[in-house]
């Protein structure tokens, strides 16, 4: 074994920090999936009939669909009949305000470093906390309401703002879009809803923190963000799960709608349990995220830092329908041990003068596989469409893999599409150089990796950027020397 | 300060250093010269702790400690500094950020408090003057796209920041223009004290006009085959290495 590998071995040893779980009384659906279960969930959530019908339609479609196999990932198939589709902490009564939320539940978030105390929160971030299948608390609702901004759990939105949900649900990601989106549409439990009215710039970051606690339970959340004309919002999403031997399924759907001149920034720091060093356990993260720049001059920007999950299948996309609209995708995906990630984006240029920018930074260590899959499509009507894609891969060690699958489909001769790709190995030279200046190897790796991912990390809001940097270092701790 | 005894080192089974002996005392400047491929950079790398090189024989003590027993970062923290012949680029990491990490890790090792941003910046300002390095260069990614000369100057700037007790400058003069050579040498001279020592590896007598050595050694085929004072460098400049090679090679065949 070369020195390099030996050092790699030592470095790949960090335990997952959020692997603990908590016992609380739960309200849960029976295991298995059929129409009765869907009715059970819908009833539990006291949903209107139209939504139940919508779910059932999605379920029937899903039953006819095949699980996709084109992604560069291999994993034992999920037995959908062995999962539980709803699990929620039992709360004595419905919490009307933060003060009424069970302190034990809030303590879970405190332990994850997410303070739900509005006084203690850093100013400028409102949080919706989703535990297993339900939202347990949302902060700063009052402050936001004064501006006409709606930020609440999805369930609440169904009750309070049915007209908005009816209008936008499934409008960007149709229920039949793909296998996991259809499944999500049938069984989704909770998630966040934000609505920024015309002309309002949301003064604080909105964020949802997802935590899976229950065993054998899939998490199927749905997020819907609507920015009306001239509105602006920056939205953050974080997630963790306990360490469990079996794989858990997470199949979320995120839809973003941007009207004329609206801008939505969506940032994710994904840190689901990645499985242990032997590749046992971990989350299957099969997520559909898509935004539509419906109005002219609108902009949607996705930033993701993917460090967790055993298997990731995720392609946050932009439909650039409005003229002059802009789509961006900034991604850092790190895989270590036996993790597999197949992630990238789709940029669909429909309007004139639409622009898209893709910056993808893959980092693979251990025996992991990391694939970038991206599609740039320029439709007939999209005169002067521009795309720039930069896909870099960084390898640590020689037992991991990095792959790039760019698809380009151009139907208008005025389009300009540029694609650049690089693959590099984290250099022993670089590490030695740092060592020679007195920097320990782990810190050297953290420096080098953060430098490599800088362009993406720079897109994150300050507070998150620092977190993300630490997370990158932590994920790779133990992977080079 | 530094004592090298019968040092042998090889890379991938090929012996490169074949019995180096060298004593360096505090306050001294030693120049190491020698033809290409004679093992000068190898010696520097072995002292700095590069893991590809296997030390097969001999010992090295530095300030009373067994240097070869220390990890590369600990050698640096103990005060060994190597100005690289070919400094590497680290994309996305600013020199400032890099140096702050380095300086604070060295300080921590030495039981000193970490420097906060303000103190660190004022230290930087002070040292920047020494080698007349531009602030703009330091806010860029470390060595990325730096010209050859800029890289070398940055090495000496880092040396100034880290205040080592033993500095090994591996061909720091190559790639420097005439003015830069003077500036960098000036910097090195100002950093010189009775408590630290410098080893300069060079091919050119010109550098030694600026950084005046107490001793000059000639390395050839992995051994120091001749030592002298600064006059030796002048002699080499004039006559080249052939006469030394002949001396050594004929002695070897006897
Ligand atoms: N990986 C390797 N395998 C075999 N030989 C090597 C390896 N690395 C270095 N060498 C050899 O070791 C010898 C010494 O190299 P070194 O870089 O120390 O020379 P140098 O004296 O610094 O030369 P220069 O004046 O050109 O900088 C050279 O012959 C070189 O080719
Ligand atoms: Mg050399």
């Amino acid at each position: 074994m070369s020195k390099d590998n030996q050092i790699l071995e030592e470095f790949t040893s960090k335990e997952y920090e959020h692997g603990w779980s908590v016992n609380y009384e739960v309200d849960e659906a029976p295991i298995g999936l059929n129409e009765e279960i869907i009715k059970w969930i819908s009833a539990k959530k006291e949903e209107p009939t139209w939504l139940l019908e919508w779910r059932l339609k999605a379920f029937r479609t899903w039953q006819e669909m095949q699980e996709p196999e084109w992604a560069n990932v291999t994993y034992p198939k999920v037995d959908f009949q062995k999962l539980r589709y709803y699990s929620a902490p039992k709360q004595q009564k419905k919490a009307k305000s933060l003060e009424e939320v069970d302190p034990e539940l809030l303590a879970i978030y405190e332990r994850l470093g997410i303070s739900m105390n509005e006084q203690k929160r850093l100013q400028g971030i409102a949080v919706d906390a989703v535990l297993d299948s339900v939202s347990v608390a949302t902060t700063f609702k009052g402050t936001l309401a004064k501006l006409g901004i709606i930020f609440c759990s999805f369930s609440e939105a169904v009750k309070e703002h049915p007209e908005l949900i009816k209008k936008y649900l499934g409008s960007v990601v149709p229920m039949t879009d793909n296998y996991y989106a259809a499944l999500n549409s049938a069984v989704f439990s909770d998630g966040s809803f934000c609505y920024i009215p015309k002309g309002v710039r949301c003064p604080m970051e909105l964020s949802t923190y997802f935590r899976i606690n229950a065993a054998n339970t899939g998490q199927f959340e749905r997020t819907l963000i609507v920015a009306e004309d001239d509105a602006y919002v920056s939205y953050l999403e974080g997630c963790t799960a306990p360490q469990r031997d079996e794989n858990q399924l997470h199949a979320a759907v995120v839809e973003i709608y941007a009207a004329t001149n609206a801008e939505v920034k969506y940032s994710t720091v994904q840190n689901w349990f990645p499985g242990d060093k032997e590749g046992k356990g971990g989350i299957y993260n099969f997520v559909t995220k898509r935004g539509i720049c419906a109005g002219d001059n609108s902009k949607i920007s996705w930033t993701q830092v993917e460090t967790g999950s055993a298997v990731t299948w995720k392609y946050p996309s932009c439909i650039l329908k409005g003229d002059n609209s802009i789509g961006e995708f900034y991604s850092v995906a790190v895989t270590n041990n036996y993790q597999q990630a197949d992630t990238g984006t789709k940029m669909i240029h429909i309007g004139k003068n639409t622009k898209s920018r893709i910056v993808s930074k893959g980092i693979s260590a251990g025996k992991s596989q990391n694939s970038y899959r991206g599609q740039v499509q320029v439709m007939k009507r999209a005169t002067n469409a521009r795309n720039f894609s930069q896909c870099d891969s960084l390898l640590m060690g020689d037992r991991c893999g990095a792959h790039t699958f760019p698809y380009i489909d151009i139907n208008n001769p005025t389009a300009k599409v540029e694609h650049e790709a690089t693959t590099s190995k984290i250099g022993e030279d670089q590490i030695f150089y740092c060592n020679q200046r007195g920097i320990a190897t782990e810190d050297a790796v953290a420096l080098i990796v953060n430098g490599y991912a800088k362009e993406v990390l720079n897109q994150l809001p300050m507070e998150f950027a620092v977190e993300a940097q630490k997370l990158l270092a932590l994920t790779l701790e133990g992977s080079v020397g | 300060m530094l004592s090298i005894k019968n040092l042998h080192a090889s890379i991938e089974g090929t012996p490169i250093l074949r019995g180096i002996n060298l004593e360096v005392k505090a306050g001294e400047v030693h120049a190491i010269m020698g033809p290409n491929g004679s093992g000068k950079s190898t010696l520097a790398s072995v002292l700095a702790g590069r893991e590809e090189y296997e030390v097969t024989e001999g010992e090295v003590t530095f300030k009373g400690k067994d240097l070869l027993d220390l990890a590369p970062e600990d050698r640096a923290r103990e005060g060994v500094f190597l100005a690289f012949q070919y400094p590497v680029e680290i994309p996305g990491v600013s020199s400032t950020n890099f140096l702050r990490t380095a300086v604070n890790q060295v300080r921590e090792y030495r039981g000193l408090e970490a420097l906060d941003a303000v103190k660190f910046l004022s230290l930087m300002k002070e040292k920047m003057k020494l080698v007349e390095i531009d602030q703009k260069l330091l806010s860029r990614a470390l060595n990325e796209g730096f010209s050859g000369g800029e890289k070398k100057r940055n090495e000496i700037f880092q040396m100034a920041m880290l205040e080592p007790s033993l500095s090994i400058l591996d061909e720091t003069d190559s790639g420097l223009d005439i003015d830069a050579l003077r500036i960098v040498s000036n910097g090195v001279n100002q950093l010189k004290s009775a408590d630290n020592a410098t080893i300069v590896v060079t091919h050119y007598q010109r550098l030694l006009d600026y950084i005046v050595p107490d001793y000059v050694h000639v390395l050839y085929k992995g051994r120091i085959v001749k030592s002298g004072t600064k006059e030796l460098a002048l002699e080499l400049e004039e006559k080249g290495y052939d006469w030394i090679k002949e001396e050594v090679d004929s002695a070897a065949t006897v």
Side-chain angles (χ1 to χ4, degrees):
Chain A
M1 189 159 61
S2 81
K3 192 83 198 174
D4 205 11
N5 281 351
Q6 194 182 327
I7 296 161
L8 274 165
E9 207 75 62
E10 286 162 20
F11 206 49
T12 341
S13 58
K14 186 70 188 183
E15 298 297 330
Y16 183 65
E17 182 185 22
H18 303 295
W20 47 273
S21 64
V22 172
N23 284 325
Y24 44 76
E25 262 197 279
V26 292
D27 214 357
E28 55 188 21
I31 284 179
L33 182 57
N34 50 51
E35 295 205 356
E36 289 317 304
I37 293 283
I38 290 166
K39 286 177 189 158
W40 188 98
I41 294 171
S42 189
K44 186 100 233 159
K45 302 179 81 65
E46 301 165 349
E47 285 176 356
T49 325
W50 70 264
L51 190 51
L52 173 62
E53 290 306 322
W54 195 82
R55 285 175 180 276
L56 290 171
K57 198 172 154 203
F59 179 64
R60 288 169 198 143
T61 318
W62 176 75
Q63 281 178 304
E64 321 243 293
M65 295 171 99
Q66 296 294 320
E67 196 164 349
E69 282 179 354
W70 44 260
N72 187 27
V73 293
T74 49
Y75 56 93
K77 288 279 166 280
V78 180
D79 185 344
F80 292 96
Q81 293 308 333
K82 286 213 173 119
L83 287 181
R84 194 188 301 285
Y85 289 83
Y86 185 91
S87 173
K90 218 172 229 164
Q91 294 206 52
Q92 300 318 27
K93 53 178 180 215
K94 276 254 151 63
K96 290 234 169 48
S97 67
L98 264 182
E99 288 69 43
E100 288 175 27
V101 177
D102 187 346
E104 270 187 54
L105 299 182
L106 296 183
I108 293 177
Y109 287 87
E110 291 285 344
R111 190 166 165 193
L112 291 166
I114 318 291
S115 176
M116 296 301 288
N117 182 326
E118 290 186 1
Q119 268 72 51
K120 275 202 248 157
R121 279 292 316 168
L122 282 173
Q123 277 302 314
I125 302 187
V127 185
D128 184 24
V130 176
L131 187 59
D132 297 328
S133 306
V134 292
S135 163
V136 293
T138 310
T139 61
F140 291 111
K141 265 164 121 167
T143 320
L144 294 167
K146 282 186 197 124
L147 293 163
I149 295 171
I150 303 167
F151 180 47
C152 64
S153 73
F154 206 93
S155 319
E156 195 180 325
V158 170
K159 290 204 174 82
E160 310 287 329
H161 310 282
E163 65 306 331
L164 288 174
I165 299 295
K166 226 173 171 166
K167 180 168 174 194
Y168 292 106
L169 178 68
S171 69
V172 191
V173 179
M175 62 162 77
T176 53
D177 189 79
N178 68 71
Y179 191 76
Y180 305 113
L183 177 64
N184 175 287
S185 302
V187 302
F188 75 88
S189 39
D190 214 338
S192 306
F193 173 66
C194 17
Y195 177 83
I196 319 294
K198 191 171 170 178
V200 173
R201 281 186 69 87
C202 184
M204 54 176 82
E205 309 279 344
L206 301 186
S207 81
T208 304
Y209 195 90
F210 296 103
R211 169 79 178 168
I212 297 180
N213 188 72
N216 281 324
T217 302
Q219 188 168 24
F220 304 93
E221 83 273 358
R222 247 191 126 92
T223 303
L224 175 56
I225 300 171
V226 177
E228 295 286 19
D229 291 356
D230 306 301
Y232 166 84
V233 65
S234 166
Y235 183 91
L236 313 168
E237 174 201 285
C239 31
T240 58
Q243 188 152 356
R244 300 195 189 277
D245 285 348
E246 72 277 9
N247 294 103
Q248 282 181 282
L249 177 62
H250 170 252
V253 170
V254 175
E255 296 179 277
I256 300 177
Y257 180 93
T260 306
N261 297 323
E263 180 177 351
V264 178
K265 260 180 87 95
Y266 191 106
S267 315
T268 309
V269 175
Q270 187 266 106
N271 185 24
W272 295 116
F273 176 53
D276 68 11
K277 269 186 286 172
E278 276 74 50
K280 203 162 170 211
I283 302 286
Y284 291 163
N285 190 34
F286 301 148
V287 172
T288 307
K289 293 185 169 182
R290 191 175 305 149
I292 183 164
C293 285
D296 293 350
N297 314 314
S298 56
K299 178 173 173 184
I300 292 176
S301 176
W302 299 100
T303 303
Q304 61 174 23
V305 176
E306 301 282 317
T307 63
S309 299
V311 181
T312 296
W313 180 100
K314 179 178 171 189
Y315 315 91
S317 308
C318 299
I319 302 171
L320 304 172
K321 184 159 167 270
D323 290 347
N324 315 314
S325 62
I326 299 173
E328 292 177 338
F329 174 74
Y330 295 94
S331 169
V332 181
V334 193
T335 52
N336 198 354
N337 299 316
Y338 287 88
Q339 282 178 279
Q340 307 174 63
D342 193 298
T343 184
T345 184
K346 267 192 234 174
M347 293 291 174
I348 302 167
H349 294 254
I350 301 173
K352 294 187 183 66
N353 307 315
T354 45
K355 286 199 193 85
S356 63
R357 181 179 176 82
I358 298 171
V359 178
S360 162
K361 304 268 180 179
I363 303 166
S364 351
K367 294 177 180 153
S368 67
Q369 295 296 328
N370 201 327
S371 305
Y372 165 80
R373 188 181 304 275
Q375 182 178 12
V376 175
Q377 195 171 13
V378 177
M379 307 297 230
K380 250 205 181 86
R381 185 170 92 64
T383 0
N384 290 321
R386 297 280 176 274
N387 162 266
F388 174 75
S389 304
Q390 170 84 46
C391 303
D392 298 329
S393 309
L394 184 70
L395 296 166
M396 299 171 76
D398 47 20
R399 289 168 304 167
C400 51
H403 318 271
T404 308
F405 304 100
Y407 306 92
I408 295 171
D409 174 19
I410 296 174
N411 301 296
N412 183 306
T414 60
K416 279 211 181 103
V417 173
E418 284 176 77
H419 180 93
E420 284 176 13
T422 67
T423 301
S424 50
K425 263 190 115 158
I426 196 157
E428 263 178 78
D429 290 3
Q430 291 173 326
I431 292 174
F432 181 66
Y433 189 85
C434 295
N435 287 158
Q436 212 304 305
R437 298 303 184 247
I439 301 173
T441 298
E442 288 202 347
D443 300 296
V445 171
L447 262 178
I448 295 166
V449 165
N450 280 313
Y452 164 78
K454 191 174 174 189
E455 197 181 346
V456 175
L457 297 175
N458 278 349
Q459 297 296 322
L460 292 171
M462 230 350 213
E463 197 197 1
F464 251 44
V466 176
E467 274 308 299
Q469 282 191 14
K470 285 191 204 143
L471 203 56
L472 283 187
L474 207 66
T475 308
L476 291 169
E477 209 159 290
S479 65
V480 169
Chain B
M1 171 172 304
L2 179 75
S3 164
I4 305 176
K5 294 210 173 81
N6 191 31
L7 182 65
H8 288 250
S10 52
I11 184 154
E12 287 163 13
T14 313
I16 309 287
L17 301 184
R18 301 185 303 162
I20 303 258
N21 291 292
L22 184 65
E23 293 286 331
V24 178
K25 295 198 183 65
E28 292 178 350
V29 176
H30 290 244
I32 296 182
M33 305 183 78
N36 293 134
S38 56
K40 304 180 297 295
S41 294
T42 304
L43 175 61
S45 297
V46 169
L47 293 177
R50 189 139 196 155
E51 320 219 343
E52 287 91 325
Y53 296 94
E54 194 194 346
V55 175
T56 49
E57 225 184 303
E59 57 189 65
V60 181
T61 48
F62 175 65
K63 298 199 285 193
K65 288 195 174 131
D66 178 358
L67 188 71
L68 301 178
D69 201 35
L70 296 173
E73 60 271 30
D74 286 340
R75 298 185 194 194
R77 294 162 182 177
E78 286 286 345
V80 175
F81 180 91
L82 170 59
F84 287 83
Q85 183 173 5
Y86 304 108
V88 301
E89 305 191 352
I90 306 189
V93 178
S94 72
S95 294
T96 310
N97 189 14
F98 172 79
L99 265 177
R100 191 163 170 212
T101 311
V103 165
N104 281 335
Q105 292 208 0
V106 169
R107 288 179 67 91
E108 192 185 334
Y109 182 86
R110 295 178 187 167
L112 299 168
E113 235 172 86
L115 291 182
D116 61 30
V118 177
K119 289 205 183 102
F120 178 78
L121 284 177
S122 71
L123 179 69
M124 268 203 15
K125 288 249 159 65
E126 178 197 325
K127 304 294 185 184
M128 273 159 57
K129 281 196 205 116
L130 213 62
V131 286
E132 300 180 24
I133 198 164
D134 194 346
Q135 170 90 58
K136 268 189 239 138
L137 207 58
L138 300 178
S139 54
R140 276 167 53 183
L142 184 62
N143 291 328
E144 198 183 27
F146 284 24
S147 75
E150 286 168 341
K151 283 182 184 170
K152 294 301 176 70
R153 195 185 286 218
N154 190 26
E155 291 292 288
I156 301 306
F157 171 67
Q158 292 184 28
M159 168 180 149
M161 289 294 291
L162 291 164
E163 299 175 346
S165 27
L166 175 69
S167 305
I168 306 164
L169 314 184
D170 193 357
E171 294 195 27
T172 299
D173 52 339
S174 66
L176 290 177
D177 67 40
I178 299 159
D179 292 335
L181 181 66
R182 186 175 37 79
I183 292 161
V184 164
S185 309
N186 253 335
V188 172
N189 286 333
Q190 285 184 58
L191 292 167
K192 238 169 37 182
S193 77
D195 303 322
N196 60 26
T198 314
I199 297 175
V200 288
V201 174
T202 184
H203 286 295
Y204 305 106
Q205 148 64 25
R206 196 184 52 194
L207 174 72
L208 304 179
D209 286 340
Y210 292 105
I211 304 173
V212 183
D214 299 298
Y215 301 96
V216 174
H217 310 278
V218 178
L219 198 65
Y220 179 54
K221 291 189 173 168
R223 286 196 192 98
I224 289 177
V225 292
K226 200 159 199 83
S227 294
T229 54
K230 60 178 194 287
E231 282 71 32
L232 177 57
L234 286 170
E235 197 177 350
L236 291 169
E237 179 89 352
E238 201 179 306
K239 304 205 283 190
Y241 289 114
D242 281 353
W243 61 285
I244 294 183
K245 287 182 185 171
E246 268 162 36
E247 254 179 57
V248 174
D249 294 341
S250 63
T253 51
V254 174

